[in-house]
Amino acid sequence: MSAVVKMPQLAAGEETATVQAWLVAAGDTVAEGQGIAEIETEKAVVDFEAESEGVFAGHLVEAGETVDVGTPIAVIAAEGEDLEAALAEHGGTAAAEAETEAAEAEPEADAEQEEAEPEESRPVEGARRFASPLARKLAKERGLELDDLVGSGPGGRIVRRDVDAHESAEPKPASTAEAAASVASAPASAGAAFEDVPHTRMRKAIARRLTESKGTVPHYYLSADVRMDALLDLRKQANETSPVKISVNDFVIKAVAASLQDVPEANSIWTDDAVRKFSGVDISVAVSVPGGLVTPVLRSVHSKSLSTISVEMKDYALRAREGSLKQDELVGGSFSVSNLGMYGTREFSAIINPPQSGILAVGAASRRAVVNDEGELEVATVMTVTLSADHRVLDGALAAEWLAAFVIRVESPVGLLV
């Protein structure tokens, strides 16, 4: 029996996604777990894997088309099943018929007419217009007739870009009120040169998710100064013999995980029905990429060595900038780390990445005057960190307990090697 493949929700809150490319063609044998399409999400382009085995009957959505999550995008038939029948069962008859007709039809127009209007895009009078489900939906919402649209898909199939192109091509004269409003809303420095950089999917996703976070998560903040001299000495010793160079951020990540083990009540997130407490520690780490940032998740950090954390972070950073992170590497975690110390930022606060309950903002370590336990003034290397906490999960005393545990872990770093 055939199975319909639907556009998955590959990120929390995501409503649409784009098929970048199809990796299989009609008639190909597909194994469970095999990549069948490249899907662009708000954070990355990922391989979408088949959830069942069979024969690829065909796709219902064109490469480059953006559709709603849950929209049927392809059909996988059972071994020996008629592919055209399987495709038809899930609404793919139109596309299949259109491709067949386009391939078999003989040109009836003269050369001049063909040059003016390619046959694959020309609607035939009285014929059924073939369109993707999303294109039909958009056309209906915008009050457009399919007969008025020119399809650019296989066999003249109408896809989303054709609906958008038709609308943008239609002249829309502005009313007097609209023109006045446009003038009134123009920037004060209208004469200055500027450039509009269109929003990317990632930029839109960052704006949406962080706005939702600040609007729905009750943030509060706690800061602490951490003496780094012992950790820096230990790091120097470790890097003298280790084949993997360990960074200060690797130590910070490990210290965050150890602190969540020390204060297990803090290793929790808020859900609609309960506070979910985790036994292991998965930590998201902010990585800057062109046009924004992503937060790949390090799994089971509490059980990993510093060298393993270092290797995984280097791999994540490289693949993040290449846009080749996998979707399952971008979801999960109860806590995040954001480090701007390499830019010289001394102190800052970060926005929580829902549904996580906390994020630690790490500033630059610098030489500062401090008072030691004997009340004497001395110079030490100090790093300021700020915890952003979700008050629904972490009450003030609990967050303070966790932050104190983190300070101890960093100032007595030998325990991080065990």
Side-chain angles (χ1 to χ4, degrees):
M1 180 177 179
S2 61
V4 64
V5 179
K6 296 182 178 181
M7 179 63 79
Q9 185 175 51
L10 299 174
E14 190 172 58
E15 298 179 355
T16 63
T18 302
V19 177
Q20 285 280 51
W22 287 104
L23 306 179
V24 290
D28 289 351
T29 299
V30 175
E32 183 178 354
Q34 176 184 342
I36 59 173
E38 290 182 350
I39 303 294
E40 180 188 2
T41 70
E42 295 173 334
K43 295 184 177 180
V45 176
V46 300
D47 284 354
F48 177 44
E49 301 176 349
E51 297 180 353
S52 61
E53 62 181 19
V55 180
F56 193 74
H59 55 75
L60 306 174
V61 170
E62 303 299 326
E65 191 169 354
T66 301
V67 299
D68 294 338
V69 168
T71 298
I73 61 174
V75 176
I76 296 178
E79 191 70 33
E81 188 175 0
D82 183 272
L83 299 188
E84 290 188 7
L87 201 61
E89 180 183 352
H90 301 287
T93 306
E97 288 179 353
E99 292 174 357
T100 302
E101 290 173 2
E104 296 179 351
E106 296 182 0
E108 299 178 356
D110 57 32
E112 180 179 350
Q113 190 174 17
E114 287 181 352
E115 290 179 1
E117 188 175 38
E119 183 170 346
E120 71 171 17
S121 297
R122 181 173 64 252
V124 179
E125 185 176 355
R128 179 183 175 188
R129 301 308 312 282
F130 303 128
S132 70
L134 180 61
R136 289 182 181 276
K137 175 184 175 184
L138 292 176
K140 182 177 180 181
E141 290 175 349
R142 300 174 188 180
L144 302 176
E145 296 293 336
L146 293 180
D147 288 340
D148 295 333
L149 306 179
V150 177
S152 61
R157 190 181 191 213
I158 299 168
V159 294
R160 176 176 183 163
R161 61 176 173 265
D162 302 321
V163 180
D164 294 337
H166 181 84
E167 278 209 319
S168 62
E170 288 186 333
K172 296 181 180 179
S175 65
T176 304
E178 289 174 335
S182 176
V183 172
S185 62
S189 57
F194 65 90
E195 177 187 4
D196 285 339
V197 179
H199 298 312
T200 62
R201 284 175 58 84
M202 178 181 290
R203 196 75 255 164
K204 290 179 179 178
I206 291 172
R208 175 177 56 79
R209 285 188 59 79
L210 296 186
T211 299
E212 289 175 357
S213 177
K214 288 294 286 186
T216 61
V217 178
H219 288 60
Y220 72 103
Y221 311 93
L222 297 85
S223 296
D225 290 332
V226 189
R227 296 186 61 159
M228 299 290 291
D229 299 279
L231 185 148
L232 293 176
D233 288 342
L234 182 62
R235 172 177 175 258
K236 181 179 179 181
Q237 295 175 41
N239 283 340
E240 288 174 353
T241 57
S242 174
V244 177
K245 298 306 177 185
I246 301 169
S247 70
V248 170
N249 201 49
D250 298 330
F251 272 98
V252 169
I253 294 168
K254 182 66 175 179
V256 167
S259 304
L260 288 170
Q261 291 275 285
D262 295 337
V263 187
E265 294 84 359
N267 190 23
S268 307
I269 65 171
W270 177 267
T271 73
D272 290 339
D273 300 316
V275 172
R276 180 172 299 164
K277 297 182 178 181
F278 298 95
S279 54
V281 180
D282 297 342
I283 298 176
S284 299
V285 183
V287 176
S288 177
V289 297
L293 60 85
V294 294
T295 52
V297 182
L298 289 170
R299 310 290 180 184
S300 302
V301 184
H302 60 291
S303 62
K304 289 179 177 175
S305 66
L306 284 161
S307 58
T308 299
I309 292 171
S310 179
V311 169
E312 291 189 4
M313 275 309 307
K314 288 182 175 66
D315 175 60
Y316 274 170
L318 175 63
R319 290 194 291 118
R321 295 183 180 101
E322 293 175 343
S324 60
L325 288 172
K326 298 178 180 179
Q327 186 59 34
D328 60 2
E329 295 171 332
L330 295 167
V331 296
S334 62
F335 202 94
S336 290
V337 172
S338 179
N339 191 338
L340 295 180
M342 67 287 292
Y343 299 105
T345 300
R346 176 164 173 163
E347 180 179 356
F348 71 104
S349 57
I351 300 175
I352 295 170
N353 183 26
Q356 297 178 358
S357 59
I359 181 170
L360 189 70
V362 181
S366 59
R367 302 289 285 174
R368 306 180 198 174
V370 298
V371 178
N372 61 26
D373 294 338
E374 287 73 36
E376 299 171 338
L377 190 66
E378 62 182 24
V379 175
T381 303
V382 179
M383 178 179 73
T384 300
V385 296
T386 301
L387 170 64
S388 302
D390 181 347
H391 214 317
R392 298 172 301 179
V393 181
L394 305 177
D395 291 328
L398 179 59
E401 182 182 357
W402 180 87
L403 191 56
F406 174 80
V407 172
I408 292 172
R409 285 289 188 173
V410 173
E411 293 186 344
S412 303
V414 175
L416 300 177
L417 300 179
V418 179

